[in-house]
Amino acid sequence: GENVEQHPSTLSVQEGDSAVIKCTYSDSASNYFPWYKQELGKRPQLIIDIRSNVGEKKDQRIAVTLNKTAKHFSLHITETQPEDSAVYFCAASIGYNQGGKLIFGQGTELSVKP
Amino acid sequence: GAVVSQHPSWVICKSGTSVKIECRSLDFQATTMFWYRQFPKQSLMLMATSNEGSKATYEQGVEKDKFLINHASLTLSTLTVTSAHPEDSSFYICSASGTYNSPLHFGNGTRLTVT
């Protein structure tokens, strides 16, 4: 089955710096890769997603890149702010429908120091 | 946007009792819903896929007789933790997608504590 590896497990940056989180997946059939932000005790919130027919997607300070050949994708947050502090999860969708079951990475605890 | 409601948000029960958790899609129909479990400081682990009108599909290692899933309508799926034990204490989260091309939306989650 699908396996998603996420690194690093913790990341600490200074406010204003950039943060990068990387994920690799195992199932070449996966074609949908969302990123979720989860604050303590709350539900995961979708922050950005990318499909396999696109190599990069950007939304203000957040961007995601995808390398299908290498089966890895990354989250980039620029100009980080203290409110970006949370746990971030990458995920990959098995199969070909965007609403399919997601397999999550282990999570990255991001801490942005003011 | 799509809203998924989960109830209760937290529950404390005694060991050996059963607990039912409801997951509702409020403004869309969901033929498929997913149940995840999350232990403290860990990732979301998929437990099962709930299919409207048919049996749920369980992930490897998840006991189907312990975690009963019922998806009786296009807007409601329930997870019943039977004969709960302290090791079942966790954060249970459901998710649903309205259409083929819409992303998954998560419920608020249910924090279960078994004493």
Side-chain angles (χ1 to χ4, degrees):
Chain A
E2 175 67 284
N3 184 50
V4 179
E5 297 287 333
Q6 183 173 346
H7 299 281
S9 57
T10 61
L11 179 59
S12 181
V13 299
Q14 287 294 133
E15 182 177 1
D17 288 349
S18 295
V20 179
I21 303 171
K22 299 182 178 182
C23 288
T24 60
Y25 61 98
S26 62
D27 192 339
S28 57
S30 294
N31 71 336
Y32 174 63
F33 309 93
W35 286 88
Y36 288 86
K37 175 183 180 182
Q38 187 180 32
E39 297 177 344
L40 190 63
K42 296 187 177 181
R43 76 175 102 187
Q45 297 276 9
L46 178 69
I47 57 172
I48 196 168
D49 56 11
I50 191 169
R51 297 193 197 189
S52 59
N53 60 345
V54 177
E56 184 175 355
K57 184 177 179 180
K58 190 174 182 179
D59 182 5
Q60 299 183 342
R61 297 186 297 109
I62 296 173
V64 56
T65 59
L66 171 66
N67 183 325
K68 279 195 66 179
T69 302
K71 290 191 282 189
H72 67 69
F73 56 113
S74 301
L75 177 71
H76 304 253
I77 306 174
T78 59
E79 300 173 28
T80 55
Q81 302 166 3
E83 50 266 38
D84 293 331
S85 297
V87 179
Y88 291 81
F89 292 97
C90 63
S93 176
I94 295 177
Y96 294 93
N97 59 323
Q98 192 169 333
K101 65 177 181 179
L102 293 175
I103 301 301
F104 284 81
Q106 294 86 348
T108 296
E109 185 172 2
L110 174 64
S111 175
V112 180
K113 299 185 184 305
Chain B
V3 177
V4 176
S5 174
Q6 191 171 337
H7 179 81
S9 56
W10 61 270
V11 58
I12 302 173
C13 71
K14 292 186 177 180
S15 186
T17 60
S18 296
V19 174
K20 180 185 283 189
I21 303 170
E22 292 187 348
C23 180
R24 295 181 183 273
S25 54
L26 296 185
D27 53 358
F28 65 99
Q29 294 182 330
T31 56
T32 303
M33 293 185 178
F34 304 95
W35 287 95
Y36 289 84
R37 180 168 54 181
Q38 186 178 33
F39 291 108
K41 292 191 176 296
Q42 293 190 22
S43 185
L44 290 87
M45 298 302 296
L46 180 65
M47 298 177 67
T49 301
S50 172
N51 304 297
E52 188 268 334
S54 64
K55 292 183 179 180
T57 304
Y58 290 82
E59 295 298 303
Q60 190 173 7
V62 178
E63 299 175 57
K64 62 180 181 180
D65 295 329
K66 180 171 183 60
F67 299 99
L68 301 179
I69 292 174
N70 184 279
H71 195 154
S73 76
L74 287 171
T75 59
L76 174 64
S77 175
T78 61
L79 168 68
T80 301
V81 182
T82 63
S83 187
H85 291 285
E87 55 265 33
D88 298 323
S89 298
S90 187
F91 192 51
Y92 293 85
I93 314 176
C94 69
S95 67
S97 172
T99 66
Y100 180 90
N101 279 322
S102 63
L104 283 179
H105 296 275
F106 285 86
N108 277 328
T110 298
R111 185 159 303 283
L112 170 64
T113 303
V114 184
T115 60

